Amino acid sequence: MNLKDLLGNSKDNTLSGQKWHMLRQSIVKHLLSAGNATIAEISSELQSSVPTITKAVNELLVEGNVVDMGKISNSGGRRPSLYSINPTCAFFLGVEVSRTNMSIGLQNIKNEFISIDLRIPFALKNSQESLLEFCNLINNYIEESSVEKELIVGICINFSGRINSMEGFSYNYFFSENRPLTEIISEQLNLPVHLENDSRAMAFGEYCEGVVDDEQNIIFLNYSWGVAIGMITDGKLYYGKSGYSGEFGHSTIFDNEIMCQCGKLGCLETEISGWSLVNQFKAALEQGKQSKVVLSENSDLQHLDIIAGAVNLEDGLCVELVTKQSEKMGRYLSILLNIFNPDLLVIGGDFSQLGEYALLPIQSALKKHSLGLVNRDMKLKKSTLGHRVGVIGACCIVKEKMLSPLFKQ
Ligand SMILES: [Zn+2]
């Protein structure tokens, strides 16, 4: 029995069979929490006899779910063996999709990457063909990996926009009224599928493996083509009633009559976002401003070109536009700080590549506009996981979700 099966219900319906199954689950749970343990430690923790635990651990060893780490040192007398979860007994797949590319990573149960492919070209379109191509890319990735598919416990896919993770619907991409998207993708991949909002997954990635130390109340800003936040309160991801929390970019705060991508006028994104940066850059050129970032007639200019222009070329216009946006961003973030009083604000997304060009204006605007007491209470950090953050978050989310039956006992 592999770990994936062990997470489910006992196939033996007798009382003793079910008890034995639960005992084995409890051993796995203890080893996942403790890292490693001796038979005597597990026996004391689970209040079960040493011979019983020895028998169960031996079964888990034979199945490949547990490994013998060798004898422990510095103990008098007979030295007992130390046992741990076998890192390769279960794997978790994380996928992040954006408008023009997708990233995939496969982690083992110890959160170590077996492989990760970032920014594979993929045009996200709301069509059946695009959905099939998306599923094929994931299936190919699994086939080409060194991992047997039956050891993959589940997959988490991050999309931008409105995601109802509980019911498995994505409202911005591949929306189907009749069936949850998780069900449709699961049929294609033959794996349990979980959907997540991209900014929320990024927040969780930083929380599990990134800049977060012991902070428990965190706002992660995903400042990219669009703008959204992921929130962690008391160490848990915050979803709101149906999972639509964090849509900071669609707060209608400007009287500018500019139409947002969501259809409303004057959203924050209409002046502060990757797509508005592109419009601001083009408008500045039309007004006669000069830039080293060459814009040919047919060029599909991206906000990343302007960010690179500021960082790599120190282009005056690029620097002017990104610092102006970042200062405005700081002003509106200060509203969130006053409301949430977080321990930590993480600046993530493509704009975090700007380093101090973004961080300094944000920091100074936060100082100026947020309440001193709130600002003094909070740390400001830049995301450190770069483009991997979403995939890491997805792997951590699906791992937590799939292992949750163990921790509910
Ligand atoms: Zn909007």
Side-chain angles (χ1 to χ4, degrees):
M1 187 185 285
N2 62 34
L3 191 90
K4 196 174 173 176
D5 296 327
L6 190 59
L7 295 172
N9 293 329
S10 169
K11 290 195 174 81
D12 183 343
N13 286 329
T14 64
L15 189 60
S16 61
Q18 287 185 8
K19 272 189 171 173
W20 185 246
H21 188 76
M22 280 175 69
L23 178 73
R24 282 154 43 87
Q25 285 183 327
S26 300
I27 294 173
V28 168
K29 176 185 167 186
H30 180 65
L31 291 178
L32 282 170
S33 309
N36 48 47
T38 63
I39 295 277
E41 284 165 350
I42 302 170
S43 163
S44 148
E45 173 69 26
L46 304 185
Q47 296 186 339
S48 191
S49 75
V50 167
T52 306
I53 296 296
T54 306
K55 189 179 170 213
V57 167
N58 279 339
E59 261 187 30
L60 291 164
L61 271 169
V62 170
E63 291 166 347
N65 291 318
V66 163
V67 280
D68 185 340
M69 306 294 286
K71 308 273 183 200
I72 60 168
S73 51
N74 66 29
S75 153
R78 199 166 155 228
R79 295 184 302 149
S81 289
L82 205 55
Y83 297 95
S84 172
I85 287 293
N86 182 354
T88 59
C89 73
F91 296 86
F92 302 89
L93 199 61
V95 177
E96 181 171 74
V97 200
S98 68
R99 292 176 314 117
T100 55
N101 60 64
M102 62 190 274
S103 301
I104 313 184
L106 188 60
Q107 279 192 345
N108 67 22
I109 198 165
K110 299 257 177 169
N111 295 107
E112 295 155 339
F113 271 113
I114 305 307
S115 58
I116 179 164
D117 273 7
L118 297 174
R119 307 212 155 179
I120 306 162
F122 168 71
L124 177 59
K125 294 191 183 109
N126 265 323
S127 67
Q128 185 66 16
E129 292 74 33
S130 183
L131 177 58
L132 280 178
E133 187 196 346
F134 172 67
C135 293
N136 285 341
L137 281 167
I138 298 173
N139 272 329
N140 291 343
Y141 181 85
I142 295 171
E143 267 177 38
E144 284 165 18
S145 79
S146 55
V147 170
E148 285 175 51
K149 190 167 179 182
E150 60 257 37
L151 296 181
I152 300 175
V153 182
I155 172 170
C156 174
I157 303 171
N158 310 338
F159 285 100
S160 66
R162 262 68 74 205
I163 298 287
N164 185 328
S165 298
M166 279 75 95
E167 292 175 5
F169 283 93
S170 160
Y171 289 90
N172 293 54
Y173 294 102
F174 303 141
F175 176 66
S176 153
E177 227 171 277
N178 310 321
R179 292 173 74 201
L181 182 60
T182 43
E183 211 176 284
I184 298 168
I185 298 179
S186 186
E187 250 173 38
Q188 296 291 324
L189 304 182
N190 202 17
L191 280 174
V193 175
H194 178 74
L195 289 191
E196 193 51 86
N197 167 272
D198 56 353
S199 305
R200 201 175 288 130
M202 288 173 180
F204 203 59
E206 287 293 348
Y207 181 70
C208 296
E209 295 183 36
V211 287
V212 179
D213 293 324
D214 52 1
E215 294 91 358
Q216 297 295 301
N217 297 291
I218 301 146
I219 293 178
F220 176 93
L221 173 71
N222 181 12
Y223 189 2
S224 295
W225 180 255
V227 171
I229 57 168
M231 286 172 280
I232 289 175
T233 58
D234 296 329
K236 294 265 170 232
L237 274 176
Y238 180 78
Y239 284 85
K241 182 175 183 293
S242 309
Y244 310 134
S245 66
E247 294 289 2
F248 178 48
H250 300 290
S251 316
T252 52
I253 48 176
F254 297 119
D255 281 325
N256 58 16
E257 295 299 308
I258 301 174
M259 170 83 78
C260 179
Q261 304 194 97
C262 71
K264 293 194 187 303
L265 296 176
C267 286
L268 181 128
E269 280 191 18
T270 61
E271 295 192 20
I272 313 169
S273 65
W275 65 267
S276 63
L277 181 67
V278 171
N279 292 342
Q280 288 154 6
F281 183 82
K282 287 179 178 169
L285 291 189
E286 276 166 21
Q287 285 162 15
K289 291 214 175 176
Q290 302 290 312
S291 167
K292 282 192 238 170
V293 176
V294 184
L295 183 63
S296 72
E297 224 167 89
N298 297 318
S299 133
D300 181 20
L301 184 82
Q302 297 289 316
H303 63 298
L304 288 168
D305 301 318
I306 302 166
I307 289 170
V311 177
N312 303 329
L313 306 173
E314 293 178 24
D315 179 80
L317 179 59
C318 294
V319 171
E320 182 195 323
L321 292 175
V322 296
T323 49
K324 208 184 259 180
Q325 271 215 8
S326 301
E327 202 201 327
K328 264 191 196 175
M329 176 59 97
R331 178 183 182 130
Y332 294 105
L333 280 173
S334 71
I335 299 173
L336 299 184
L337 300 199
N338 285 353
I339 295 170
F340 289 105
N341 185 203
D343 305 353
L344 172 67
L345 170 63
V346 182
I347 307 298
D350 296 332
F351 278 67
S352 67
Q353 294 171 27
L354 285 160
E356 298 207 326
Y357 283 132
L359 280 183
L360 290 181
I362 287 177
Q363 193 169 29
S364 107
L366 287 177
K367 258 205 159 50
K368 190 170 163 192
H369 296 289
S370 65
L371 290 171
L373 280 173
V374 172
N375 191 35
R376 211 181 305 156
D377 256 10
M378 186 207 70
K379 287 183 199 154
L380 175 70
K381 290 184 187 173
K382 182 172 95 78
S383 164
T384 52
L385 297 176
H387 299 317
R388 296 181 311 144
V389 64
V391 175
I392 292 174
C395 289
C396 294
I397 286 171
V398 68
K399 178 181 158 187
E400 188 176 282
K401 192 165 179 61
M402 299 310 289
L403 296 184
S404 65
L406 293 180
F407 293 88
K408 277 181 188 148
Q409 281 177 23

